[in-house]
Amino acid sequence: MSYPILYSATETNFDHNGIGILSACVSCEVTEEANGIFELAMQYPMDGVHFAEIGDRAIIKAKADQFRDPQLFRVYAISKPMNGVVTVLAEHISYDLSGIPVKPFSASTAYSALTGLKNNAVVDCPFDFWTNKTTSANFEVSTPASIRSRLGGAVGSILDVYGGEYEFDNYTVKLHNNRGMNRGVSIRYGKNLTDIKQDQNCSNVATGIYPYWYLETDAGNVLIELPEKVVSAPGTYNFVKIRTLDLSAEFDVQPTHEQLRAKTQEYIKKNNIGVPSVSLTVSFAQLEQSEEYKGLKFLERIGLFDTVSVQFPALNVSTTAKATKIVYDVLMDRVKSVTLGSVRQNIADSISNQQKQIDILNKRVLMSAR
């Protein structure tokens, strides 16, 4: 069993036990989403040791997964007591970047953009930045902004310009080409996912694309199609669903058949045409005593952004999904649940999400009091 540790709001050295160990903790969970929220939620009794020192902006150190050193979280909300227990919400220390402004500057690589955030901060910035991305593209901070807002979640942000997968490791911000890895995990819908929350979305699945280029002129209308009409999606299907695709805006002049076909194949690959979207949540707390748990226990060792192969036998196709959300049980030192799906570039959402979490917390308290 592992307990979180409490530090004062101004502490900068975390190699000791600070104010003390929060050994009376009732529950403590850390939720991290891919390129998204990274927060801690803890229930603590009012008569517990060090309760009086748990205040706004206090820092809590706790394990967030099985791979990194314990992470730092800054308290931003404490609920009203219910039955002598309060709920404490804390955000990862990297959210402090929301209060560090950066002046305008420009960069041409992912590395220079990240280091530029620190070098152009208008107040002291205790954070370091790292990336293994070698992408070259123009990045610009045109008006003063917070550093965190320029990391992602908006047009022109570092994530928007260069792509990648973030890892927030205490006072170090890392932008990986690929943060996760493929651990050889394979899941089959309808087999080892029986009775587990899953969402197989086939509504947007197409088995092929019918592309065309169209131009209206004074001399008459021009329509360019492929001789075969349809470019098939990879895979074998027991149904037919063809989607038309207007590529008129992709070519300024009339394209050849080869150009039209190549552009269509590029579209199919980029948009995963023919592959269902994946949304899957495995909650281990409810599965421990079930037969399905035996076949899914390997997911307890999965990390954020790790890749999992997902098979759709009915469609005879397969795809990959990434671990997009992990809830970690700090006290039990283990993963509580894993969500698989598509990664969104949503760091900005994590900032606006705070007030929603506070509102939800207050609503739960009011409902419990009735």
Side-chain angles (χ1 to χ4, degrees):
M1 182 170 284
S2 175
Y3 291 105
I5 302 174
L6 181 67
Y7 297 86
S8 70
T10 56
E11 185 60 78
T12 57
N13 177 16
F14 301 95
D15 294 330
H16 55 88
N17 286 336
I19 295 173
I21 298 173
L22 299 175
S23 57
C25 188
V26 176
S27 69
C28 186
E29 295 178 1
V30 172
T31 299
E32 184 178 11
E33 294 186 5
N35 290 339
I37 67 169
F38 195 2
E39 299 199 353
L40 175 148
M42 176 179 71
Q43 288 191 315
Y44 207 80
M46 294 181 65
D47 59 358
V49 61
H50 305 305
F51 171 78
E53 287 82 21
I54 304 176
D56 288 341
R57 295 189 56 76
I59 297 173
I60 296 173
K61 183 168 74 173
K63 289 190 67 174
D65 57 30
Q66 302 164 80
F67 308 102
R68 289 172 291 182
D69 291 334
Q71 297 295 301
L72 304 173
F73 298 86
R74 191 179 294 282
V75 174
Y76 72 84
I78 303 175
S79 74
K80 295 179 180 180
M82 284 297 300
N83 300 320
V85 176
V86 300
T87 298
V88 178
L89 300 179
E91 59 195 7
H92 190 262
I93 199 70
S94 61
Y95 283 58
D96 280 4
L97 288 167
S98 297
I100 301 178
V102 60
K103 64 185 179 182
F105 77 96
S106 59
S108 58
T109 66
Y111 175 78
S112 60
L114 284 169
T115 56
L117 292 177
K118 184 179 179 72
N119 295 337
N120 290 281
V122 299
V123 296
D124 179 58
C125 179
F127 291 84
D128 293 317
F129 298 84
W130 171 94
T131 185
N132 62 355
K133 294 189 69 65
T134 57
T135 308
S136 295
N138 293 326
F139 170 79
E140 182 179 11
V141 176
S142 56
T143 58
S146 76
I147 290 181
R148 189 169 175 88
S149 71
R150 303 316 302 148
L151 291 178
V155 175
S157 67
I158 286 178
L159 198 60
D160 180 54
V161 173
Y162 302 107
E165 299 173 350
Y166 275 116
E167 177 185 1
F168 298 99
D169 188 5
N170 289 321
Y171 282 94
T172 301
V173 177
K174 303 175 182 179
L175 181 62
H176 298 263
N177 263 320
N178 293 287
R179 171 179 165 181
M181 61 184 294
N182 191 327
R183 303 177 191 273
V185 175
S186 181
I187 296 175
R188 289 172 62 86
Y189 268 88
K191 297 294 182 182
N192 57 347
L193 288 187
T194 306
D195 297 328
I196 297 172
K197 183 181 178 182
Q198 56 181 302
D199 174 21
Q200 176 179 334
N201 188 348
C202 295
S203 61
N204 293 321
V205 173
T207 61
I209 298 295
Y210 182 178
Y212 66 91
W213 182 88
Y214 182 75
L215 179 67
E216 293 183 358
T217 69
D218 293 338
N221 300 332
V222 180
L223 175 66
I224 302 300
E225 305 170 283
L226 295 177
E228 67 273 26
K229 304 299 183 185
V230 173
V231 177
S232 298
T236 304
Y237 308 89
N238 57 7
F239 65 96
V240 175
K241 186 177 180 181
I242 307 301
R243 184 186 305 167
T244 59
L245 178 64
D246 184 358
L247 292 175
S248 303
E250 297 293 326
F251 302 96
D252 294 330
V253 297
Q254 180 176 320
T256 64
H257 288 153
E258 289 75 15
Q259 290 173 321
L260 196 65
R261 187 179 295 108
K263 182 63 68 173
T264 305
Q265 291 169 341
E266 177 185 328
Y267 175 84
I268 289 174
K269 182 178 180 180
K270 182 178 180 180
N271 293 278
N272 269 339
I273 301 301
V275 178
S277 61
V278 175
S279 178
L280 159 69
T281 299
V282 180
S283 180
F284 298 105
Q286 284 114 15
L287 282 173
E288 284 184 332
Q289 306 303 319
S290 69
E291 189 66 25
E292 290 82 10
Y293 178 74
K294 296 178 182 178
L296 292 169
K297 194 171 183 178
F298 50 77
L299 283 175
E300 286 190 314
R301 291 294 302 172
I302 203 169
L304 201 66
F305 287 106
D306 278 358
T307 299
V308 174
S309 173
V310 185
Q311 311 291 327
F312 295 86
L315 300 180
N316 197 27
V317 297
S318 64
T319 185
T320 57
K322 289 197 173 188
T324 58
K325 179 180 179 180
I326 290 182
V327 179
Y328 192 79
D329 188 325
V330 175
L331 302 185
M332 299 302 293
D333 285 333
R334 68 173 196 174
V335 173
K336 182 178 180 180
S337 69
V338 173
T339 299
L340 305 176
S342 300
V343 177
R344 296 180 298 163
Q345 297 185 356
N346 62 349
I347 282 181
D349 293 347
S350 67
I351 299 172
S352 61
N353 183 62
Q354 288 184 17
Q355 187 57 49
K356 294 180 182 178
Q357 292 300 316
I358 294 174
D359 292 341
I360 291 172
L361 186 62
N362 292 335
K363 182 180 293 185
R364 287 176 179 172
V365 171
L366 289 174
M367 292 178 67
S368 299
R370 292 174 181 174

